[in-house]
């Protein structure tokens, strides 16, 4: 078939990714051995894991963790660590086994784990990709310690709001991320952007807002309905701008806050929270 390697042949035959093909070949060689170019047999590296896999008591994900752990350790530790991890693999899922493997490597080769931690930071990434329906798909990768920071910040905000809170866990975490951003923007702790404190900026014409037709737009391209903008404007700094027929600004007024501290207290006493139809946000989330 013209394949230049076993992984290449597997990739083309089974139609899997190159990375997955390489992992499968590496697992197979470690479990069952291989041969050199001259035909000399190479003994399997993981005979205990091979038997456990054949017996159906561990999965391929378990095998990958055992193999990658063994690969980082000196040969004198291979048999002992393989036996330990395979025994634990019959009791724990791959995620928990991976944590046990990390602790094992940290005990036997602490300098290697430190290096992995540094490499994990270099691999961090975060992206927000706009989908065809206008929603944003959030993707990323964080090092373990950075993920702990984010989880610590989000966890208090992701708890159910009460016994009637029927949001899914994933929805609550998404809401928590947005709420965290709101709180940071309102905290006056971010560096200035363009000479101003970072803020959510939405532009819409007075007529559209009044008649609730059309769409406003955010600085980053989001299209937002007048109904949502009216909800946001319950407590916002509003800057009137006069535009000509070509959309060029002719006059920019001063920003005006719509809610003073005194009015805020009165609104909380009156409404006990957000008064927008269908909104159940508590008072501390409103009128900021």
């Amino acid at each position: 078939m013209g394949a230049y390697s076993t992984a290449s042949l597997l990739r083309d035959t089974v139609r899997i990714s190159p990375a997955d093909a390489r992992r499968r070949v590496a697992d197979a060689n470690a479990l069952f051995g291989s041969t050199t170019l001259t035909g000399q047999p190479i003994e399997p590296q993981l005979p205990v894991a091979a038997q456990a896999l054949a017996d159906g008591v561990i999965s391929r994900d378990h095998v990958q963790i055992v193999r990658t752990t063994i690969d980082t350790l000196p040969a004198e530790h291979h048999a002992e660590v393989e036996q330990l991890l395979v025994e634990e693999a019959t009791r724990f899922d791959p995620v928990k086994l991976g944590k046990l493997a990390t602790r094992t490597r940290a005990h036997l080769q602490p300098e290697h784990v430190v290096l992995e931690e540094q490499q994990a930071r270099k691999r961090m990434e975060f992206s927000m990709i706009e989908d065809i329906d206008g929603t944003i798909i959030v993707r990323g990768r964080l090092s373990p310690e950075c993920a702990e920071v984010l989880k610590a910040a989000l966890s208090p905000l992701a708890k159910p709001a009460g016994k009637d809170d029927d949001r899914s866990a994933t929805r609550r975490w998404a809401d928590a991320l947005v709420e965290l951003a709101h709180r940071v923007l309102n905290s006056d702790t971010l560096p200035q952007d363009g000479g101003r404190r970072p803020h959510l900026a939405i532009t819409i014409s007075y007529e559209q807002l009044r008649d609730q037709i059309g769409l406003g737009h955010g600085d980053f391209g989001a299209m937002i309905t007048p109904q949502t903008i009216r909800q946001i404007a319950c407590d916002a700094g509003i800057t009137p701008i006069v535009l000509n027929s070509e959309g060029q600004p002719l006059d920019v007024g001063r920003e005006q806050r719509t809610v003073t501290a005194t009015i805020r207290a009165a609104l909380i006493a009156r409404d006990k929270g957000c008064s927008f139809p269908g909104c159940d946000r508590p008072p501390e989330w409103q009128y900021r």
Side-chain angles (χ1 to χ4, degrees):
M1 297 180 63
Y4 60 86
S5 67
T6 305
S8 175
L9 175 63
L10 185 62
R11 180 193 65 194
D12 294 337
T13 303
V14 189
R15 296 183 301 280
I16 57 178
S17 69
D20 191 21
R22 289 192 295 270
R23 282 194 297 268
R24 294 192 187 194
V25 171
D27 288 346
N29 289 338
L31 291 169
F32 310 113
S34 59
T35 58
T36 65
L37 292 176
T38 59
Q40 298 298 317
I42 300 176
E43 293 296 321
Q45 184 184 20
L46 304 175
V48 178
Q51 186 60 54
L53 183 65
D55 293 341
V57 294
I58 66 174
S59 69
R60 192 165 67 91
D61 288 338
H62 288 115
V63 170
Q64 184 181 343
I65 293 170
V66 176
R67 176 181 61 79
T68 54
T69 302
I70 294 296
D71 286 345
T72 65
L73 298 175
E76 61 265 24
H77 297 301
H78 285 189
E80 178 185 4
V81 172
E82 181 195 6
Q83 185 68 43
L84 169 67
L85 293 181
V86 170
E87 289 178 359
E88 298 300 334
T90 63
R91 301 169 50 211
F92 297 115
D93 62 59
V95 173
K96 292 181 179 178
L97 183 67
K99 293 180 179 180
L100 175 62
T102 299
R103 288 196 295 268
T104 301
R105 287 186 290 111
H107 176 71
L108 297 175
Q109 280 192 316
E111 69 284 353
H112 189 84
V113 176
V114 171
L115 179 61
E116 284 186 346
E117 190 174 67
Q118 295 171 349
Q119 292 174 340
R121 294 194 194 102
K122 294 179 180 179
R123 295 170 58 206
M124 291 202 307
E125 58 185 0
F126 180 83
S127 64
M128 294 187 290
I129 304 169
E130 186 172 358
D131 206 352
I132 58 175
D133 61 356
T135 58
I136 301 298
I137 300 172
V138 179
R139 294 175 178 168
R141 181 192 301 272
L142 298 176
S143 65
E145 73 276 12
C146 291
E148 285 294 304
V149 173
L150 183 60
K151 289 178 181 179
L154 293 179
S155 181
L157 303 174
K159 295 179 180 179
K163 62 180 182 179
D164 296 327
D165 188 349
D166 59 355
R167 294 174 300 165
S168 66
T170 53
R171 168 65 189 277
R172 286 189 279 108
W173 280 96
D175 287 344
L177 181 61
V178 176
E179 177 60 24
L180 179 64
H182 275 298
R183 295 188 180 214
V184 172
L185 285 172
N186 289 330
S187 67
D188 201 19
T189 58
L190 293 174
Q192 288 195 346
D193 184 16
R196 300 184 63 188
R197 191 182 81 178
H199 60 285
L200 173 65
I202 301 173
T203 303
I204 189 172
S205 72
Y206 170 74
E207 290 77 16
Q208 287 177 314
L209 188 61
R210 180 194 61 197
D211 300 334
Q212 300 191 48
I213 59 174
L215 294 169
H217 61 86
D219 281 355
F220 295 97
M223 308 300 290
I224 306 173
T225 64
Q227 290 80 1
T228 297
I229 295 174
R230 288 168 68 94
Q231 182 179 2
I232 295 171
C234 288
D235 178 29
I238 298 178
T239 303
I241 301 177
V242 179
L243 306 177
N244 63 15
S245 59
E246 298 178 352
Q248 300 299 318
L250 299 177
D251 180 69
V252 179
R254 294 183 178 180
E255 180 181 287
Q256 296 179 343
R257 293 290 298 181
T258 58
V259 179
T260 65
T262 304
I263 294 177
R264 180 182 188 277
L267 288 172
I268 291 176
R270 185 192 70 181
D271 300 333
K272 307 297 189 297
C274 181
S275 61
F276 192 85
C279 179
D280 58 358
R281 292 162 71 91
E284 60 269 19
W285 291 12
Q286 300 295 318
Y287 320 124
R288 290 172 295 201

